[in-house]
Every structure is written in structure tokens, then in C-alpha cells.
Amino acid sequence: MRLTRLTAVAILAMFIFACSIERVPLVATDVSIKQPMPGMQMTAGYLTLSNNTTQAIKITQVSSPQFDSVEMHESVVEDGMARMYPLGDLTILAGRTVQFEPGGKHLMLMRPVGEFETVTLEFHADKAIVLTLNVALSD
Amino acid sequence: MPRANPLLEKMGPRNRFIAIVAVVAIATGAWLSFQVMSPPAVPQTATVLPAPGPLPEFSLLDHEGNAIGRDVFSGQWSLVFFGFTHCPDICPLTLQVLADAKKQLAAAGSEPLPQIVLVSVDPERDTPELLGQYVRYFGDDNLGITGELVEIRKLTGGLGIFFEKSAVDGDNYSVDHSAVVLVINPRGQFHALFSAPHEAANFVHDLPLLMRRR
């Protein structure tokens, strides 16, 4: 009887845990945004985005109240030339991870608005915000 | 008491002397042949020009607004990168790699230390003042070069460096540019180059060798 009750509690806990995972479809780790360099109106942001759902997630826009504009870009070196491309929409397949890292994909944050030490990033999938992050600026 | 080698015990004093001389001779020979046969340390990443050549003539500005020509490179080794301040990723990444390499060389007591130079490929936005703030962020001794586009093209054209504007959206634009780092020697000659991707360890290994081989 006691064992049955314990089993029921365990199943309930697992169910709650599973639900909590389902509520966080997109998880960000290793997030960093550098303080804009002196005199500069822009900086770069880096992070790892993991899609924990069973469906692809398409990020259509990234915004921040602290910057006029946030764009997803990718730096590449092709035939000895350093180039930067806007990514447009970014699709993260089910269960996959996408890395934004120096020399590759990055967030380009342009024209800071006022003084701040923490940046709020909002990741949009069409009209819905699917992830909000608060990131302290790093040196 | 440790026992002497039984073989040596059986030898007379003369033979023992000959045996010791033979062992010393073989060891010396082995050491000398190792020294002669092992290849000298050579640059691993840098491409060294067989015949370093002079830089083209140009008339530009340093990051303090002073007029400069090609003699600005004379008298010290320079690591020269071509980029622009509105580049948020590759340019700061490369300048940080060069700054890290210089710091590691200094910590190892390597002399002379190279100066780090950023030549702007976006003179439209890169005023001397803005460029100065940018290059000094990576080190007080760094040099920024900007000026008239036509003069920048004289310098880049003579060094095989390419760059072109590329639209990002609206008024915003980026500049595609060669990703190499050039090494200019104290005679003001194009001496060697490092191709991307850049890592501090490559510069730390190769630069002292390049400077020694001048």
C-alpha cells in the first residue's frame, strides 16, 4: 500500500517535471553580450540555443528594449575574405542546438538606448515571444 | 659496497681506459649527429615571402590625425590587419587574438614586440578619432590608419588585399575584406602573412622565428 502511494507520487512528480520541460521549449546557455567598445554604437551577443521540443522552432526576430535594432548575423571566411551575412529567419530543428559564437553566428545589437548594465533579449517566433533573457553586459 | 662491473674488473687498466674513451666518443658522436640532423625550428603557420618587397607609396592619417606615409612602418615589426570599427565580430576577435599574442610574447620575454596596426577599409565611417578609440581598446601602442579611400586602395592594392561594401539592410552596410594578417619588417617591407582563422598560439610560435630570420 505504502509502495503504491510512493509510486503514485513518483509518477506525479515525473508528470510535473515533463510538463515543466514542455513549458520551456527553447533554452539558452552560455549567453554573453559585450559592453559596446568606447565610441561604438554596436556590440555582439553570443549564446547557445537548444530546441527541447519535438517540432522545429523558427526564430523570426530578436528584439531588445535597450537597442534600436537586433539582428542575427553570421561571419564567414570564404576564399580568404571575411564576410558577414544577415541570417534572416533561423530554424532550429526538433532536439537540435544552434551556437552563436565568435567568428560564426552572432547577434548584432545596434544603437543602444540610454545607459544600462543589463540587456533584455526577446526571441520571437512570428508574433509570439518564445524566450526572454536578461543578460548582464560583460567587459 | 656496490660491486664494480665484472666486465671492467676483468680488464686491465689500459683496456679499461680505452673502453671509457670509446663510450664517451660514441655518446659525443650521437649528440652531435642529433644536433646536425634535427631540422631548425621554422614558422609553422606564417607564409614567408621569398623576397620581401617595399610597400606602395600612400598618403593617409594615423588615429591621431597625423599625415603618414609608408615610412610609418619603418623601425619596428608590425602585424597589420584590414578591418573596420562597425564590424562587431571578426575584427574585434582578430585584434583580440593579436593583443593576446603580444601579451604572451611579452610575458615570455620575447623582443622586439610587434606593433598592432588596423588599416580601415571603411574610411567613410572610420574617422581618426573613432578608429583611435577602437584600436586603443586593444592596447595603448596600437596604430590605426584611415584616410581617403583612393589612398587606402593604393596601399591595399599593392599588397593583394581586397575589400568591398556589402549591403546588410537599409542604410546599414558591412564591408567584406581580406582576413589575412600581414607582417611588415622594420625595413618597411612586406615580409610574411598569416591566413585566417587566427590563433594567438600561431603568432607566439612563428613571430620570434620570423624576426630571427630577417
Side-chain angles (χ1 to χ4, degrees):
Chain A
M1 185 65 185
R2 197 174 182 188
L3 196 65
T4 315
R5 203 176 295 164
L6 265 177
T7 310
V9 169
I11 290 170
L12 185 65
M14 283 169 70
F15 178 73
I16 292 169
F17 182 64
C19 287
S20 68
I21 286 176
E22 205 55 46
R23 275 193 222 110
V24 189
L26 201 56
V27 173
T29 52
D30 301 325
V31 190
S32 72
I33 299 174
K34 284 203 125 194
Q35 185 96 38
M37 276 185 262
M40 296 311 303
Q41 291 290 300
M42 64 172 55
T43 188
Y46 304 104
L47 73 162
T48 300
L49 281 176
S50 300
N51 177 355
N52 284 336
T53 71
T54 52
Q55 290 183 326
I57 296 176
K58 187 163 81 174
I59 306 294
T60 52
Q61 190 198 344
V62 185
S63 61
S64 168
Q66 286 80 31
F67 287 88
D68 257 2
S69 167
V70 182
E71 292 173 9
M72 293 181 284
H73 285 183
E74 181 160 20
S75 300
V76 291
V77 176
E78 297 169 327
D79 303 324
M81 292 285 281
R83 302 180 202 275
M84 193 175 74
Y85 297 110
L87 278 177
D89 296 342
L90 174 74
T91 300
I92 310 174
L93 297 175
R96 295 293 179 88
T97 292
V98 171
Q99 283 185 317
F100 287 69
E101 57 193 349
K105 293 185 179 64
H106 57 274
L107 297 176
M108 186 158 161
L109 302 102
M110 289 172 281
R111 296 179 297 279
V113 181
E115 302 264 314
F116 51 87
E117 289 178 356
T118 301
V119 176
T120 301
L121 287 176
E122 297 156 334
F123 292 80
H124 304 249
D126 292 321
K127 286 178 183 169
I129 294 177
V130 287
L131 178 67
T132 301
L133 301 173
N134 291 306
V135 189
L137 287 172
S138 61
D139 289 332
Chain B
M1 276 268 303
R3 285 187 57 201
N5 188 321
L7 199 63
L8 282 177
E9 270 180 359
K10 282 181 194 164
M11 290 179 180
R14 187 162 174 268
N15 286 347
R16 207 178 294 169
F17 175 73
I18 291 170
I20 290 169
V21 167
V23 167
V24 170
I26 290 168
T28 308
W31 181 79
L32 278 174
S33 67
F34 177 76
Q35 292 295 315
V36 172
M37 300 293 282
S38 58
V42 290
Q44 301 286 306
T45 318
T47 304
V48 183
L49 271 65
L55 300 187
E57 301 257 17
F58 61 83
S59 177
L60 289 165
L61 299 172
D62 70 13
H63 63 262
E64 289 177 338
N66 302 310
I68 54 164
R70 65 181 180 181
D71 58 354
V72 73
F73 291 105
S74 300
Q76 73 274 294
W77 287 87
S78 302
L79 293 174
V80 186
F81 183 63
F82 298 81
F84 60 113
T85 65
H86 284 65
C87 157
D89 187 52
I90 290 270
C91 302
L93 184 65
T94 305
L95 289 172
Q96 192 58 56
V97 164
L98 299 182
D100 288 346
K102 188 172 173 178
K103 213 173 283 176
Q104 289 175 39
L105 286 167
S110 179
E111 282 187 358
L113 293 173
Q115 78 169 337
I116 297 169
V117 183
L118 174 65
V119 178
S120 173
V121 292
D122 183 19
E124 198 177 310
R125 293 185 291 196
D126 287 343
T127 60
E129 189 190 3
L130 190 60
L131 195 60
Q133 287 180 312
Y134 194 81
V135 295
R136 276 194 292 264
Y137 181 82
F138 299 96
D140 291 338
D141 302 331
N142 296 347
L143 172 66
I145 296 179
T146 187
E148 296 292 329
L149 182 62
V150 64
E151 292 293 321
I152 289 175
R153 290 220 180 267
K154 283 185 191 172
L155 174 59
T156 56
L159 295 169
I161 300 293
F162 300 95
F163 64 95
E164 59 185 353
K165 261 187 185 182
S166 77
V168 174
D169 58 49
D171 294 338
N172 191 16
Y173 64 88
S174 181
V175 184
D176 299 341
H177 56 91
S178 296
V180 290
V181 170
L182 306 188
V183 181
I184 310 291
N185 68 28
R187 289 191 289 274
Q189 298 167 322
F190 178 13
H191 189 97
L193 65 88
F194 287 84
S195 300
H198 300 297
E199 286 180 31
N202 296 337
F203 294 93
V204 171
H205 179 272
D206 284 2
L207 278 176
L209 298 172
L210 288 175
M211 293 173 183
R212 204 183 303 157
R213 284 155 56 104
R214 59 183 290 212

